[in-house]
Coordinates of all heavy atoms in Angstrom, one line a residue:
T30 N 100.2 143.0 -72.0 CA 99.5 142.0 -71.2 C 99.6 142.3 -69.7 O 98.7 142.1 -68.9 CB 100.1 140.6 -71.5 OG1 100.0 140.3 -72.9 CG2 99.3 139.5 -70.7
L73 N 114.1 158.5 -80.8 CA 113.2 158.0 -79.7 C 113.6 158.5 -78.4 O 112.7 159.0 -77.6 CB 113.4 156.5 -79.8 CG 112.3 155.6 -79.0 CD1 111.0 155.8 -79.7 CD2 112.7 154.2 -79.0
A125 N 124.4 153.9 -64.9 CA 123.2 153.5 -64.3 C 123.2 153.8 -62.8 O 122.1 154.3 -62.3 CB 123.0 152.0 -64.5
Q168 N 122.6 123.3 -67.7 CA 122.7 123.0 -69.1 C 121.7 123.9 -69.8 O 120.6 124.2 -69.3 CB 122.3 121.6 -69.5 CG 123.3 120.5 -69.0 CD 122.8 119.1 -69.4 OE1 121.6 118.8 -69.1 NE2 123.6 118.3 -69.9
Y169 N 122.1 124.4 -71.0 CA 121.1 125.1 -71.9 C 121.4 124.5 -73.3 O 122.4 124.7 -73.9 CB 121.3 126.6 -71.9 CG 120.1 127.3 -72.3 CD1 119.7 128.5 -71.7 CD2 119.2 126.8 -73.3 CE1 118.6 129.2 -72.1 CE2 118.1 127.5 -73.6 CZ 117.7 128.7 -73.0 OH 116.6 129.3 -73.4
H201 N 122.1 133.1 -69.5 CA 120.9 132.8 -68.7 C 121.2 131.8 -67.6 O 120.7 132.0 -66.4 CB 119.8 132.2 -69.6 CG 119.0 133.2 -70.3 ND1 118.3 134.2 -69.7 CD2 118.8 133.4 -71.7 CE1 117.7 135.0 -70.6 NE2 118.0 134.5 -71.8
V217 N 136.7 129.8 -63.2 CA 136.2 128.9 -64.2 C 137.4 128.2 -64.9 O 138.5 128.7 -65.0 CB 135.3 129.5 -65.2 CG1 134.1 130.2 -64.6 CG2 136.1 130.6 -66.0
D244 N 125.0 125.6 -101.9 CA 125.7 126.0 -103.1 C 125.9 127.5 -103.2 O 126.7 128.0 -104.1 CB 124.9 125.6 -104.4 CG 124.8 124.1 -104.5 OD1 125.7 123.4 -104.0 OD2 123.7 123.6 -104.9
D253 N 131.3 130.9 -80.8 CA 131.3 129.5 -80.4 C 129.9 128.9 -80.7 O 128.9 129.5 -80.6 CB 131.5 129.5 -78.9 CG 130.5 130.2 -78.1 OD1 130.6 131.5 -78.1 OD2 129.7 129.6 -77.5
L257 N 131.5 124.9 -72.6 CA 131.4 124.1 -71.4 C 132.4 124.6 -70.4 O 133.6 125.0 -70.7 CB 131.7 122.7 -71.6 CG 130.9 122.0 -72.8 CD1 131.6 122.1 -74.1 CD2 130.8 120.5 -72.4
G264 N 130.6 131.0 -51.9 CA 130.2 130.6 -50.6 C 129.5 131.7 -49.9 O 129.3 132.8 -50.3
G268 N 132.0 132.0 -44.2 CA 133.4 131.5 -44.4 C 133.4 130.1 -44.9 O 134.5 129.5 -45.2
G269 N 132.3 129.5 -45.1 CA 132.2 128.1 -45.6 C 132.6 128.0 -47.1 O 132.6 129.0 -47.8
F276 N 128.7 123.8 -66.2 CA 127.8 124.5 -67.1 C 128.1 124.0 -68.5 O 129.2 123.8 -68.9 CB 128.1 126.0 -67.0 CG 127.7 126.6 -65.7 CD1 128.4 126.5 -64.6 CD2 126.5 127.4 -65.6 CE1 128.0 127.0 -63.4 CE2 126.1 128.0 -64.5 CZ 126.9 127.8 -63.3
L283 N 120.9 118.0 -81.0 CA 119.7 117.5 -81.7 C 118.6 117.0 -80.9 O 118.8 116.1 -80.0 CB 120.1 116.5 -82.8 CG 120.6 117.0 -84.1 CD1 121.3 115.9 -84.9 CD2 119.5 117.7 -84.9
L310 N 108.6 121.6 -60.9 CA 109.9 121.6 -60.3 C 110.1 120.3 -59.6 O 109.2 119.8 -58.8 CB 110.0 122.8 -59.3 CG 111.3 122.9 -58.5 CD1 112.4 123.4 -59.5 CD2 111.2 123.9 -57.4
D320 N 114.5 106.4 -49.8 CA 114.2 105.9 -51.1 C 113.0 106.5 -51.7 O 112.4 106.1 -52.7 CB 113.9 104.3 -51.0 CG 112.8 104.0 -50.0 OD1 112.3 104.9 -49.3 OD2 112.5 102.8 -49.9
R324 N 110.1 114.3 -55.9 CA 108.7 114.4 -56.2 C 108.4 115.6 -57.1 O 109.2 116.6 -57.1 CB 107.9 114.6 -54.9 CG 108.2 115.8 -54.1 CD 107.3 115.8 -52.8 NE 107.6 116.9 -51.9 CZ 106.9 118.1 -51.9 NH1 106.0 118.3 -52.8 NH2 107.2 119.0 -51.1
S332 N 99.7 130.0 -54.4 CA 100.7 130.3 -53.5 C 102.1 130.4 -54.1 O 103.1 130.8 -53.5 CB 100.8 129.2 -52.4 OG 101.0 128.0 -52.9
L383 N 131.3 135.5 -68.3 CA 131.5 135.3 -69.7 C 132.9 135.5 -70.2 O 133.5 134.7 -71.0 CB 130.5 136.1 -70.5 CG 129.0 135.9 -70.2 CD1 128.2 136.9 -71.1 CD2 128.5 134.5 -70.6
Q392 N 143.1 129.7 -73.4 CA 144.3 129.3 -72.8 C 144.3 127.9 -72.4 O 144.8 127.5 -71.4 CB 144.6 130.2 -71.6 CG 144.8 131.7 -71.9 CD 145.0 132.6 -70.7 OE1 144.9 132.1 -69.6 NE2 145.3 133.8 -70.9

Side-chain angles (χ1 to χ4, degrees):
T30 306
L73 196 66
Q168 293 179 311
Y169 204 143
H201 278 300
V217 300
D244 299 324
D253 59 286
L257 305 91
F276 291 75
L283 273 170
L310 182 69
D320 59 354
R324 65 183 177 91
S332 61
L383 297 177
Q392 298 178 354

